[in-house]
Amino acid sequence: MTNVKTSSLGFPRIGLNREWKKSLEAYWKGNTDRETFLKEMDEQFLAALQTQLDQQIDIIPVSDFTLYDHVLDTAVMFNWIPKRFKDVHDPLDTYFAMARGTKDAVSCEMTKWFNTNYHYIVPEFEKGAQYRVTRNKPLEDYKRAKAALGTETKPVILGLYTFVALAKGYEQQDIKDIYSQMTPLYIQVLKELEQEGGKWVQIDEPALVTASHEEAAAVKEIYQTITEEVPGVNILLQTYFDSVDAYEELISFPVAGIGLDFVHDKGKNFEHLKAHGFPKGKVLAAGILDGRNIWKANLEERLNLTLELIQSAGVDEVWIQPSNSLLHVPVAKHPDEQLADDLLNGLSFAKEKLLELTLLKNGLVSGKAAIQTEIDEAHGHLQALKQYGAATNSAFAEEIDKLTEEDFKRSTTFEERLRIQNESLGLPLLPTTTIGSFPQTAEVRSARQKWRKKEWSDEQYEAFIQKETKKWIDIQEDLGLDVLVHGEFERTDMVEYFGEKLGGFAFTKYAWVQSYGSRCVRPPVIYGDVEFKEPMTVKETVYAQSLTSKKVKGMLTGPVTILNWSFARYDLPRKEIAFQIAQALRKEVEALEKAGIQIIQVDEPALREGLPLKERDWDEYLKWAAEAFRLSTSSVEDTTQIHTHMCYSNFEDIVDTIEDLDADVITIEHSRSHGGFLDYLEQHPYLKGLGLGVYDIHSPRVPSSDEMLTIIEDALKVCPADRFWVNPDCGLKTRQPEETIAALKHMVEAAKQARGKLAQTV
Ligand code: GLN
Ligand code: ZN
């Protein structure tokens, strides 16, 4: 008989009512003192544990809870504190300084945690730094949980291999040294835990999913050393977000248990397990519930999968658990959430998922009959959800069926379109434009609040938006920009805005997830077939166009970005959902064109982050991502110019896809890439319209026109001038009006100077 336990890998920190965020922000603003703040944090730490205990989870994680980010915790724990923070003396101040920066020291970089929308703080390696254990946070948390709740817990620690993989500032050849410097520190942390009586630790090594056999063998050595030194603590080596290629290596690690993701592995982990077995004496920690989506589990199917797994593995002990930390889903269904019953019943957030685990355990231990009622109920809810979703757009299937290859491509080649557009648009050389949004000032946000709370009528709000639009059209004209935008004042968020106007999307009031630090987002929920109901941006764009003789660029969010920033339904492949969104956007593009808008930008800032973890899966994703983009943009006339925008560096990775989008112009972030991309372009010329960001919009700093001119001139060495655009890195919504105007003024000057110089050379 296999012993079955339930386990959790991590729980959301933010609290059901975002108490965590509120405590943090109050402390940062100086509205609470440190003592109160730490007390609040302690309460929230314990509350998260209590919620998991209440769902009767057997093995509860600690130390996944953090004051900001778990990767930052690890860095600080091992004294990976960059020199520039040396003047900050207090440990807590240092911690937040690294996350948020100080007057004198820029914050550490933040980037996406694998293929999720959670951002971690990037650890910085500094040669010669003295790494040591500054505090044993897992141990402190373990002790605190025991003292306050009388419960044994399983501390979670980010593993050395993954920690280094996520860090920066070292060369490949430094890695061995880093490992040998850091391994004793891990040993120290674990030894102290051992002395305190800790039985299990969960060491997270998600980076192992992409490790080669050789890499895995090197990691095995680390774990060999650790387990020899600390025999009394059982290590559960946890992987997630995909299958482990080096499966055979992994199961030979001298650890007490191995955690595998059986949800996001495309069936591969199970295949490996069947082919190569699983060591009988080790615990198999099986991720059997999707820890990244928000849908109720099909209990029967999950139960059967687990039974099969148990049978194939033949181990003494199995832990059933979510596929990954529940950090990526909302805390729990909020009692005040107002959604249609059929939708609400189909949802399962962190707390509900843990309850599902407990039910499944019951089914495994006592037999399926013991949970038959719950199985039937889950089945009924999922059926109802499906029907609810299917009702959104009955015409959809028919439309998709009718699509032909022609619908995915423009009828004329780029060069020909360029010629036609140059004539019809009448733009100067090196046209200047912005990426879409202008400052969302406190005034704009408060206007929207008033309207949402019904303190303002629709007319009042609309008049306000028009006033703001007019103000910024005038500003853009004064600045002498060539292609104007309406400013996106009516949008809080580039995905939410479209989701609210399309069928098949729902919005929650309380289902927050952490994005980075104290920032939380409420991703839209795609529950049904996507439906275009009515034009979404035409009114605002046409209004802006009516105010000026310059061209106003229409502004849409692309299908892949809308998909990647939403919780998507589980019963359709992502590709198909992207096509549905694309089909709806295609109608919007057509509506804009029909209303006389000749330049339309379809933003895809999230295209790259959707890349699968394993490179071998990239092509498939990139192919349909580009198809979805083309489906939304290909039906226009040759005279209509399609733009797109993406904002991140390392375009080299996806340059073929960018080409494949067949957009007439792409504007991208560039000012911080330090010329790297230009070197690339020199080798691989990009021949469609290209706008490289000439200034960083993440900082209030206003660069001089000379600085921007240098960027333009450097770019023109490798980019043809007859298709080069001048623009900032990204949208300006987080900037102040004054700095925005000042920077754009310099940008326009820089473009004029560059034009002047070009004229001299011909
Ligand atoms: N058009 C959007 C804006 O300017 C683009 C935002 C983005 O790239 N993230 O705000
Ligand atoms: Zn951007």
Side-chain angles (χ1 to χ4, degrees), residues 688-705:
K688 290 177 182 158
L690 180 64
L692 297 180
V694 297
Y695 78 89
D696 178 14
I697 56 87
H698 300 93
S699 146
R701 186 173 162 267
V702 175
S704 68
S705 58

Side-chain angles (χ1 to χ4, degrees), residues 611-753:
L611 274 180
L613 291 182
K614 298 186 197 258
E615 245 179 276
R616 62 165 180 265
D617 299 326
W618 284 12
D619 280 354
E620 188 199 333
Y621 163 76
L622 289 172
K623 181 168 182 289
W624 66 250
E627 281 169 355
F629 181 87
R630 293 200 313 271
L631 178 58
S632 26
T633 52
S634 290
S635 61
V636 294
E637 301 292 330
D638 293 342
T639 43
T640 299
Q641 188 167 65
I642 296 291
H643 288 218
T644 188
H645 161 73
M646 297 179 190
C647 41
Y648 30 75
S649 34
N650 296 348
F651 286 92
E652 294 91 311
D653 284 353
I654 58 160
V655 121
D656 292 343
T657 305
I658 292 179
E659 181 79 38
D660 199 19
L661 299 178
D662 201 22
D664 297 303
V665 178
I666 176 166
T667 50
I668 58 181
E669 176 175 331
H670 174 71
S671 71
R672 292 188 296 178
S673 86
H674 307 295
F677 189 51
L678 293 183
D679 295 341
Y680 177 86
L681 284 177
E682 190 171 7
Q683 303 299 322
H684 312 85
Y686 183 80
L687 295 177
K688 290 177 182 158
L690 180 64
L692 297 180
V694 297
Y695 78 89
D696 178 14
I697 56 87
H698 300 93
S699 146
R701 186 173 162 267
V702 175
S704 68
S705 58
D706 281 349
E707 210 175 295
M708 300 195 220
L709 180 61
T710 309
I711 297 189
I712 300 172
E713 292 193 306
D714 285 346
L716 288 178
K717 290 179 195 146
V718 294
C719 302
D722 67 337
R723 54 201 70 182
F724 190 79
W725 288 67
V726 176
N727 50 266
D729 271 348
C730 187
L732 296 158
K733 76 168 162 221
T734 57
R735 296 268 60 89
Q736 291 303 315
E738 309 70 47
E739 61 207 33
T740 302
I741 294 169
L744 289 176
K745 189 159 176 255
H746 291 174
M747 185 184 92
V748 172
E749 274 166 26
K752 284 190 178 146
Q753 285 167 16

